[in-house]
């Protein structure tokens, strides 16, 4: 299975009562369907998965499964701390038609889970029981655990572990993994500010929160890279730099949702304790997205 | 409500298939009922709460509610990342007869949640809607977020936030909070290796994983402190030092469960990716608990 | 050699041109001579040793050697990154009459120096060649390296390594070291906010920046502890809490120097890039020291 | 002044007694003179500057000044914690003919020095008094302080601060600085494993420890980049990857010195507490450098 291209980990739309907002989800997905995005990741960190109940996740998978255009590859964010719950969710997503599962590194019991062998044990146990292939998901800025490149290299030999989404932004680690994994194992990145450099060193794709609000810009970088048009890729990378920083690092999901509202998608409110951006943050975002419509 | 004394955050017993093991839970609780433990915290970190489904948590609350001796104060671990899910769980525990809820600091979106004002917003929103009082739960070693003493001081003025369980082991912070919180707000600690010093500087109690396996020793330190028998308290603190280190810091929940097995409780296996201690770890634990029976 | 009691790591007085201010050093030392301080540490972190040339350090050692009252034990801060320079400085201090050397953990090449065996190698190599005994000095908040308790336990068996000054404020580590070091090896602490609890668990003394400005208060805690007057010790610990926090953690050496000025010592300006406290910081310090004269 | 190209921060040769080894320094410099290296940085971190006395630094500057071929640009590592000592060293280097000074971020008093405004104050104060231009040097892996991109952007407007050597390997920060600094301010990097990607995003050069042992390979990457031969650059980047990792991150200066010995330069022993690589480390290095001669 090829995971090339750009995937948004889609934001979860809530109404003003904080309930899932099905109509707006449909609206967003149908709008993204008309872009060059390669597919969708449903219930990732940007989807506020840690704020969702299991029932809500299942509903989201079903809805996106219904609204996504044919040809858009569907991945489900299914990682939980325990192997058993992760397997159960993964196989539920598989039944709903998802092609792969993005599984976050377990991390709560850090003193034990920071060990490479415990990470490897978890992913092997999940992959052994999962009915669809697994993409490892590493975001140490949130989890506080950074899976070692060596552990990823080892896991790349498991037949049901096919990729990693590395969101640290650490290009040296991305390069090391590309060198050391089994041929065919796919390294995707999750950091828009370093998208183009990551592609130049061999990443095959990216799962980018930023792509929720600015799919065109991210797909343009991808396509310019494929066409070996380095100047265009660099230029667009430059153009998204400030906006990508604001809605990923600085203002997070609430900032991204505001940018979606600006750009013709439904962003809406995050769930508490996340709160909409302040007036000042909104101004920063507006300014950064002025020339990044659509 | 007085939270004085020693509380175990009770370990969750699983059978060999990883299912909740009701009979062993009953066995453990009835054995703890005969000790000087002040009550029980059900579904804390030691209870592998991050490995449990909502349904399992509710069953555990019900079972412990049934088995606990009268006079044992019952607290429920109910913290989730979202305000709404935490409120829902807290009020479910309240209906089951729990007297207070222990609520972990939200932490996944670290760049946003590390801000004191966001922590304060979360706890106020939860406390406003909760039908039972809230005890803040801070364990930065797991969450990667350390709620500031200043934020705790501010939250201590909320009428429905009555305590903090500070598990960092940072005595300077414990002292600062005791100085700065509203009179009557209760500071408990969660680190057995510094139990006695924490009591000497004014902590009113403790929620200790270690108390699952060695309730007598921890209650003895508590009672010696109350009786102003500093030598006895210091002596017992010394006696538990190595064992407490092994089953909290070094070998975590799996180590603690093994120590419970050694000491006449049912520990049993943890859920994957946690695994039983290695043979070498078992030997270390056996040696450290040789003189800490019961 | 007994290192019991309270030692200020003395602040280095500079004049308005940033030169060593000999007259003020004499003034301070002669004033401290009349207190219950056990001795002086010259050229520690509080003495801005990293801002001093070798020649300046030697002058400071000579001057304090001349001004100190008989009976005040003199220790020299001599730690440099290399073994050879540390040995040279230590033996220079020995020639000047210093009785012990306080040697900071080397830390610049962190990926190599964080290893316990490299720390052990360094301290053994220094101690083998030093003409006076060595006190290990650990302040991870500045160095970014935290020497492991196990390494200290091992080093405690070296005949020329007699003590550690542990400035992390980590009481659990202090307790672990006291348990595990060779009998007779002396554990001192360097954190005023946890002075009394540290003494209760067995620390034999303290090297406290705060003692520069408030020797009486710190010596009172020490003496109350020796006399087993827990209430008095706790009470004074409480009284110094805020002031100690301000001039160690929050405002650092510049804050301490300002507090010295307030309390009848010469503090004066720090060396750039350290700068005198802001007006607001000064007000905080003034308020905290209002009842801590002398 | 243009700082384009590749600079080794030259390793300091010591003889078996740990003394400066002038003949070997001459040998190394004369051999490097015949490569495409743009110049030399004398007394940087790789030069074990924290292990050198002031007198030794001055001698090294003089010797390299004498041995360097005309056209090789000479920079001196002069950063000390205090402004005054840094200025004194910088102006001493200027008198010796050095064209620029590389000044490390001050970092010992981390709680104060981590503030962007304190870093800015330091660099402005140094630059105001320095007779040669300043290149900021940021290596947070050693110092524990990471100067903010915003502070660098601000400092780029000082007429005597002309460049930064960013050694964190954080490409996102490199990109941010390149966007935000004053036009003409030069961003160099200090991390060989990300050399080529850094050049593609706009770094003008690099100061690379690895270039001590493998000048040809690093210069080749530089020249391929200049000639827009992306394939060649990527290919050589790949070829140096493992070797660069070993002698910078994993085995540090001792590993690099061993690699120099392998490649026809004099590496020799580091100063204690650094120690020559173990037999196993040596084997790793030998293997990685097998195809990186010269």
């Amino acid at each position: 299975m090829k995971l090339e291209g750009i995937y948004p980990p889609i934001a979860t739309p809530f109404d003003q009562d904080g309930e899932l907002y099905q109509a707006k989800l449909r609206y967003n997905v149908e709008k993204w369907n008309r872009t060059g995005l390669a597919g969708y990741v449903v219930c990732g960190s940007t989807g506020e998965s840690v704020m969702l109940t299991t029932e809500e996740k299942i509903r989201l998978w079903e809805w996106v499964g219904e609204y996504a255009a044919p040809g858009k590859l569907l991945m489900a964010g299914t990682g939980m701390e325990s192997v058993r719950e992760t397997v159960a969710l993964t196989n539920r997503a598989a039944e709903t038609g998802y092609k792969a599962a993005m599984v976050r590194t377990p991390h709560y019991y850090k003193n034990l889970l920071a060990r490479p062998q415990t990470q490897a044990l978890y992913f092997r146990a999940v992959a052994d029981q999962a009915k669809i292939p697994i993409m490892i998901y590493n975001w140490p800025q949130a989890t506080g655990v950074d899976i070692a490149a060596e552990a990823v290299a080892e896991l790349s030999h498991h037949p049901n572990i096919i990729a990693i989404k590395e969101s640290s932004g650490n290009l040296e680690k991305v390069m090391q993994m590309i060198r050391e994994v089994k041929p065919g194992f796919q390294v995707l990145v999750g950091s828009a500010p370093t998208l183009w450099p990551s592609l130049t060193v061999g990443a095959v794709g990216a799962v980018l929160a930023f792509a929720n609000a600015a799919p065109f810009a991210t797909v343009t970088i991808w396509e310019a890279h494929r066409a070996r048009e380095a100047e265009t890729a660099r230029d667009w990378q430059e153009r998204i730099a400030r906006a990508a920083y604001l809605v990923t690092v600085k203002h997070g999901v609430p900032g991204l949702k505001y940018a979606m509202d600006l750009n013709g998608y439904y962003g809406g409110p995050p769930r508490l304790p996340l709160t909409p951006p302040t007036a000042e943050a909104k101004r920063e975002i507006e300014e950064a997205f002025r020339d990044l419509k659509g």
Side-chain angles (χ1 to χ4, degrees), chain A:
Chain A
M1 187 186 312
K2 290 282 191 187
L3 301 181
E4 294 178 349
I6 306 295
Y7 301 79
I10 69 176
T12 299
F14 300 114
D15 64 22
Q16 292 303 321
D17 297 328
E19 302 295 336
L20 297 185
Y21 202 157
Q22 185 176 3
K24 297 302 187 184
L25 178 66
R26 177 170 200 155
Y27 171 82
N28 285 348
V29 174
E30 293 183 343
K31 197 165 154 82
W32 287 320
N33 281 341
R34 298 191 293 273
T35 67
L37 293 169
Y40 308 119
V41 175
V42 187
C43 298
S45 299
T46 303
E48 294 172 68
S49 64
V50 295
M51 307 281 204
L52 302 172
T53 65
T54 298
E55 294 68 32
E56 289 175 325
K57 290 179 188 176
I58 293 171
R59 262 184 286 158
L60 288 165
W61 290 331
E62 290 173 346
W63 292 342
V64 176
E66 186 179 339
Y67 308 144
K72 298 295 187 193
L73 194 146
L74 297 183
M75 289 190 268
T78 63
M80 302 290 283
E81 289 293 305
S82 74
V83 167
R84 58 189 275 143
E85 205 166 356
T86 304
V87 168
L89 278 174
T90 298
N91 289 341
R92 188 73 177 76
E95 289 165 20
T96 317
Y98 281 67
K99 300 303 181 200
M102 183 176 84
V103 176
R104 191 180 56 208
T105 54
H107 55 273
Y108 189 71
Y109 301 103
K110 290 197 169 39
N111 62 328
L112 303 174
L113 295 170
R115 299 173 191 165
Q117 66 268 35
T118 312
Q119 289 289 328
L121 178 150
Y122 170 89
F123 280 105
R124 277 196 302 263
V126 168
D128 284 345
Q129 303 173 65
K131 294 177 181 157
I132 47 178
I134 298 301
M135 174 167 69
I136 300 164
Y137 172 24
N138 187 54
W139 191 26
Q141 287 89 335
T143 62
V145 165
D146 190 6
I147 191 171
E150 290 77 9
V152 175
E154 183 195 327
L155 288 167
S156 71
H157 293 275
H158 191 291
N160 206 28
I161 303 178
I162 65 168
I164 184 169
K165 177 199 175 189
E166 173 68 38
S167 293
S168 65
N170 179 341
L171 199 73
E172 183 173 346
K173 187 185 174 195
V174 167
M175 295 167 79
Q176 186 186 351
M177 290 193 295
I178 289 171
R179 281 198 306 278
E180 296 182 2
V181 294
K182 188 184 72 173
F185 184 87
Q186 301 171 83
V187 176
L188 291 87
V189 292
S191 172
T194 49
L195 172 59
W196 176 62
S198 299
L199 296 173
T200 64
V201 299
V204 303
V207 180
L208 300 174
F210 182 68
N212 276 279
F216 178 76
T218 50
V219 170
T220 300
I221 293 170
W222 163 255
E223 293 180 345
H225 166 69
R226 300 283 282 187
R228 294 168 179 262
E229 295 172 359
E231 283 314 308
T232 305
R234 190 201 332 254
D235 177 50
W236 275 93
Q237 182 69 51
E238 189 62 28
R239 288 163 72 172
I240 70 169
R242 171 116 180 116
Y245 165 73
L246 288 176
V247 301
T248 55
V249 180
K250 186 165 180 190
H251 299 305
V253 172
L256 176 70
K257 285 186 153 182
Y258 183 67
M260 292 173 71
D261 286 329
L262 288 178
N263 266 7
Y265 294 89
Y266 178 82
R271 276 192 171 161
L272 282 174
L274 299 186
T275 51
T278 62
E280 191 190 333
K282 284 181 176 173
R283 272 195 304 275
E284 277 191 324
I285 294 168
E286 288 162 18
E287 196 179 315
F289 276 86
R290 189 158 300 150
D291 302 319
L292 282 172
K293 294 298 173 211

